Amino acid sequence: MKKLLLTTLFFLALFTPIGFLNAATKVTPIKILIVPGHDNEVWGAQYGYVKEADMNLNLSNRIYNILKKDKRFEVHITRKIGGYTKEFEDYLTNNREAIIAFKENAKKEMQVAIDSGDFVEKENPPHNDASEEVAIKLYGFNKWANENKMDVVIHVHFNDYPRETPWVSGIHKGFAIYTPEEQMVNAKGSSDLSKKILKELKKKYITSTYEEEKGGLVPDQSLIALGSNGTLLPSVRSLLIEYGYIYRFKTKAARMSAYANMASLTSAGIKSYFFPKK
């Protein structure tokens, strides 16, 4: 009887369709949070009438839609047309005091680490300082990502460089991926993922010509988006992508083409990191 049972199980395993086995085996999806940089109140860079926040959202939606079709991923996005999604609007409103406490506690703990020599401050590329309200939102996204066990947080941006007016072009071009500096707890996974996306984007775009972004992969300690002050868990891979300088996308046709290409290449990089071809 025992021999017959073993034989039956062997033939079931041999001839059962793989799709049936996959359906019967629950696979935990990769959790990704996409953060379109800025919003309708603080829209970031501007070229003519084109606002960075709108470009960020257009590209983010395309990345979201590509990954959403792949059942191996569980994808979230912080805002859509019209503003923040209800989930994130409610979270930021209902948890405001907890987010502020989270931010302040993290800063205090980091200062202790710096004072003790456990964490060495390094010079970072120059950034515009985030306002208090923007900082609260960014720390809120980190807190949410930790609580909801995100595997990846991607902040989508377009770059800028000082210009006389929003109507003229700047001197730089190319993309850059900001990733946590090596001392940060989530640095290794974030860097490895960034390298995969970098490889894909380089198939069509050059890396930034700005000296501080040379090579395209930029370690940084100060960006809240990357988990500054230890505000992202080691398991949360975080990166901020500056997909190009805003004044390089002068026409709607150029922007639409860029969104499609950049979304496809970014998604390919994410998939090659989590599901490398054998």
Side-chain angles (χ1 to χ4, degrees), residues 6 44 46 50 65 68 77 114 121 141 161 173 180 187 190 198-199 211 220 222 231 250 258-259 268:
L6 288 173
Q46 185 170 350
V50 178
N65 289 334
K68 192 74 174 176
I77 193 167
I114 292 170
E121 288 186 288
F141 298 151
Y161 194 76
K173 57 185 177 180
S190 301
L198 180 82
K199 181 179 178 181
E211 185 63 28
D220 193 287
S222 64
T231 51
K250 297 182 178 181
Y259 300 150

Side-chain angles (χ1 to χ4, degrees), residues 132-251:
E132 182 65 15
E133 285 302 311
V134 170
I136 290 172
K137 288 175 182 175
L138 292 171
Y139 278 109
F141 298 151
N142 287 358
K143 190 172 185 296
W144 184 95
N146 290 338
E147 293 169 355
N148 289 275
K149 297 180 173 59
M150 291 295 108
D151 295 294
V152 179
V153 180
I154 297 178
H155 290 254
V156 174
H157 284 260
F158 281 84
N159 220 334
D160 200 5
Y161 194 76
R163 294 169 284 134
E164 292 180 8
T165 75
W167 299 90
V168 300
S169 295
I171 61 174
H172 289 296
K173 57 185 177 180
F175 75 92
I177 303 177
Y178 283 78
T179 187
E181 191 267 334
E182 63 180 357
Q183 296 175 84
M184 296 166 71
V185 295
N186 60 338
K188 180 62 169 63
S190 301
S191 177
D192 290 345
L193 172 58
S194 296
K195 289 174 184 176
K196 291 290 187 180
I197 296 175
L198 180 82
K199 181 179 178 181
E200 293 297 323
L201 288 174
K202 283 177 70 175
K203 291 178 179 179
K204 192 167 184 66
Y205 301 99
I206 66 166
T207 56
S208 177
T209 59
Y210 178 44
E211 185 63 28
E212 298 284 353
E213 298 173 334
K214 188 176 181 180
L217 199 63
V218 190
D220 193 287
Q221 295 178 342
S222 64
L223 290 171
I224 302 170
L226 302 180
S228 64
N229 298 313
T231 51
L232 282 174
L233 296 172
S235 57
V236 183
R237 303 156 185 85
S238 61
L239 51 152
L240 185 152
I241 307 178
E242 298 277 10
Y243 279 91
Y245 285 80
I246 189 170
Y247 45 77
R248 295 290 174 180
F249 306 92
K250 297 182 178 181
T251 67

Side-chain angles (χ1 to χ4, degrees), residues 8-25:
T8 303
L9 290 173
F10 171 77
F11 279 100
L12 281 172
L14 187 63
F15 294 106
T16 300
I18 292 176
F20 181 84
L21 289 174
N22 288 342
T25 306

